[in-house]
Amino acid sequence: PHNHQHHQSGWTSGQGTPSSQSLSTRRELYERDFPVYKQPVEVGCFSLDSERRFFNDGRQMRYYVEPDRNPHFDLRDGYRDRFIKRDDSVKEKLDHILRWVIANRSKLKSKVPSASSSALDVDFVTWRGHLTKLLTTPYETREGWMLAVTRFGGTLYISEVETESARRERENRTERHEEMMYWGYKFEQYTCADTVHALPDPGGVVNTNEAFCTVVQTRLADHRLLFSGEVDCREKDPEAPPPPACYVELKTSAEICTPKQRSNLHRFKLLKWWAQSFLPGVPRVVAGFRDHEGVVVSVETFHISKISHLIKNEYNCWKPTVCMNFCCEFLSFVKRIATEDSHRVVYLFSWEPYKDVTYSVHRDSQYSFLPQWYIEEITR
Ligand code: A3P
Ligand code: MG
Ligand code: MG
């Protein structure tokens, strides 16, 4: 049984008197039993092509081809002459997910006969990446976030707003950083084929407009979630389990030469890798370890279900239960604050490291993000 005497709420005010207007992110407040997180179910998928056009199908799916344990993949190859980079100054907000919802709303329609036509039978619609940021918040010391929330037809839509400091960093990346961001995509090209029977083509063009996205439904405690996330590839074995259990997440990371470096991987990188893949139920991450020249020298598989055991040997390490309990409390906080049901209203939740989550309310502002076409389609 839960020990209610020791269960402190994260809802606080600056003075320590409970006013419920902000949410604490202190780790100690979220160390309790793991909340109910239902096995995520894939309810659909969509693809974005080389020009970022939406398709309600899996045409951009790729197939994982197991590389040599000690390959010599040159991740710098093609950066100058075979790279088409997505324009990340274009903010797509929830648009692609909303397109998917419009094309698949029969799958989501409320079973309550009296419910309005716009009722979706979920509490939250968002990107997996936004939830990843929530999961890692109690351990994040560098980057804050802003999340815009609109309640519409009873559903809460969550869409990220770029912070001032994130915009500054994006506009002032060094040439080295720009190139290193390419390395992750180049690793995908070395390990993924376009069809079940094909092989990877390291001589092709890397185009980061292309994406295959899964759409999953699940529940965190009493929060019914619908979210989408980009998936790198799937196992090609026809005997492989159905999605999302056949999906594989690909990562690159600096080569590990010392116990200290291994410890840092566990303490910092595995937190992000775990959060990103645990949410949609992707069972494994394949990591390519590269040297300073961008050559992958070894490949290792990390099973998501084993990561919590791996990190238990680290002193003062992150805990999955803290991540999930914080996310759950944040969603409860949002439900309690974002009460007015209107596409014109945005509740803007903001967080900076070492501070509490706060919010502000905006009507007909620059923050509104539900497009007119969505409002019209869904209320038809
Ligand atoms: P790596 O993570 O292997 O470096 P993802 O792993 O989520 O599929 O993303 C693919 C690649 O996109 C990453 O590969 C990285 O190169 C780039 N990328 C993703 N998120 C990023 C971020 N927040 N900042 C910089 N690069 C990012
Ligand atoms: Mg990816
Ligand atoms: Mg990846």
Side-chain angles (χ1 to χ4, degrees):
H2 299 247
N3 191 337
H4 291 282
Q5 282 165 327
H6 293 274
H7 180 116
Q8 287 174 280
S9 164
W11 299 345
T12 56
S13 76
Q15 284 70 40
T17 39
S19 78
S20 312
Q21 294 302 298
S22 67
L23 180 70
S24 173
T25 63
R26 288 172 54 210
R27 297 161 198 178
E28 321 82 77
L29 296 173
Y30 302 99
E31 291 208 20
R32 50 188 129 97
D33 290 347
F34 203 83
V36 169
Y37 189 66
K38 270 186 52 190
Q39 188 172 307
V41 174
E42 179 176 86
V43 291
C45 64
F46 60 85
S47 294
L48 304 173
D49 75 359
S50 60
E51 294 171 48
R52 209 68 183 166
R53 289 175 299 209
F54 173 96
F55 293 90
N56 183 31
D57 58 42
R59 67 181 68 192
Q60 293 289 348
M61 169 77 81
R62 290 181 298 174
Y63 298 84
Y64 178 64
V65 178
E66 175 106 49
D68 198 284
R69 263 181 72 88
N70 298 106
H72 294 276
F73 296 148
D74 177 7
L75 302 180
R76 305 177 81 159
D77 177 51
Y79 176 65
R80 299 262 163 229
D81 56 314
R82 301 191 322 280
F83 179 30
I84 297 173
K85 185 179 172 288
R86 178 172 76 91
D87 181 353
D88 52 12
S89 67
V90 177
K91 299 304 170 194
E92 301 172 324
K93 296 172 274 192
L94 296 186
D95 290 6
H96 298 307
I97 302 178
L98 302 180
R99 275 185 182 285
W100 182 89
V101 168
I102 293 298
N104 298 275
R105 55 190 303 198
S106 54
K107 294 181 184 174
L108 302 167
K109 257 291 192 38
S110 175
K111 277 133 211 142
V112 183
S114 62
S116 81
S117 63
S118 55
L120 282 186
D121 223 21
V122 296
D123 299 316
F124 292 94
V125 171
T126 193
W127 282 107
R128 176 269 311 274
H130 302 356
L131 295 173
T132 304
K133 286 197 176 177
L134 289 170
L135 259 62
T136 59
T137 294
Y139 299 104
E140 180 61 49
T141 58
R142 293 197 306 229
E143 291 167 13
W145 45 252
M146 290 199 290
L147 293 170
V149 177
T150 290
R151 184 186 286 266
F152 178 61
T155 294
L156 292 145
Y157 296 81
I158 306 181
S159 180
E160 184 171 39
V161 174
E162 188 173 47
T163 63
E164 271 302 311
S165 91
R167 186 177 60 80
R168 266 198 307 275
E169 281 187 25
R170 178 170 56 76
E171 290 173 348
N172 295 294
R173 285 180 195 135
T174 62
E175 187 48 41
R176 168 85 178 168
H177 188 201
E178 284 286 344
E179 183 179 333
M180 288 179 73
M181 285 174 58
Y182 167 79
W183 293 359
Y185 298 108
K186 185 65 187 177
F187 180 61
E188 295 176 7
Q189 192 190 51
Y190 277 113
T191 53
C192 296
D194 287 343
T195 64
V196 183
H197 301 291
L199 288 174
D201 174 21
V205 171
V206 170
N207 186 328
T208 57
N209 288 297
E210 297 175 7
F212 167 83
C213 296
T214 180
V215 182
V216 305
Q217 239 182 309
T218 185
R219 183 164 59 82
L220 172 58
D222 60 344
H223 307 302
R224 296 169 300 166
L225 314 178
L226 177 78
F227 59 85
S228 175
E230 200 248 350
V231 169
D232 291 336
C233 57
R234 60 161 291 161
E235 288 179 46
K236 58 179 174 181
D237 184 352
E239 303 286 279
C246 61
Y247 291 152
V248 180
E249 172 59 42
L250 302 169
K251 291 290 177 196
T252 60
S253 197
E255 175 185 15
I256 286 162
C257 306
T258 67
K260 173 90 176 164
Q261 288 169 339
R262 167 74 52 181
S263 179
N264 280 338
L265 178 89
H266 289 178
R267 297 171 59 82
F268 306 108
K269 278 228 157 150
L270 286 192
L271 163 60
K272 308 247 169 165
W273 295 1
W274 172 84
Q276 183 189 29
S277 288
F278 178 77
L279 280 164
V282 172
R284 67 168 166 146
V285 174
V286 171
F289 291 99
R290 47 91 190 153
D291 64 20
H292 280 287
E293 275 71 61
V295 175
V296 173
V297 291
S298 69
V299 172
E300 208 176 313
T301 291
F302 292 87
H303 293 275
I304 296 302
S305 61
K306 292 183 184 162
I307 286 180
S308 61
H309 309 300
L310 267 184
I311 60 169
K312 282 195 177 114
N313 299 317
E314 302 292 339
Y315 177 71
N316 203 5
C317 202
W318 60 277
K319 294 188 178 86
T321 197
V322 168
C323 301
M324 296 304 284
N325 282 315
F326 170 73
C327 183
C328 190
E329 292 279 330
F330 174 78
L331 297 177
S332 300
F333 183 59
V334 167
K335 275 182 180 172
R336 197 164 55 76
I337 300 299
T339 51
E340 185 176 342
D341 198 305
S342 165
H343 66 274
R344 299 168 52 188
V345 176
V346 163
Y347 296 84
L348 185 63
F349 293 84
S350 306
W351 177 73
E352 288 297 332
Y354 309 109
K355 300 214 168 112
D356 292 348
V357 179
T358 58
Y359 72 93
S360 50
V361 190
H362 307 263
R363 192 178 301 268
D364 298 324
S365 74
Q366 54 178 349
Y367 298 116
S368 294
F369 62 88
L370 290 181
Q372 198 55 42
W373 58 259
Y374 182 72
I375 310 293
E376 283 167 14
E377 281 287 334
I378 205 106
T379 44
R380 272 203 307 154

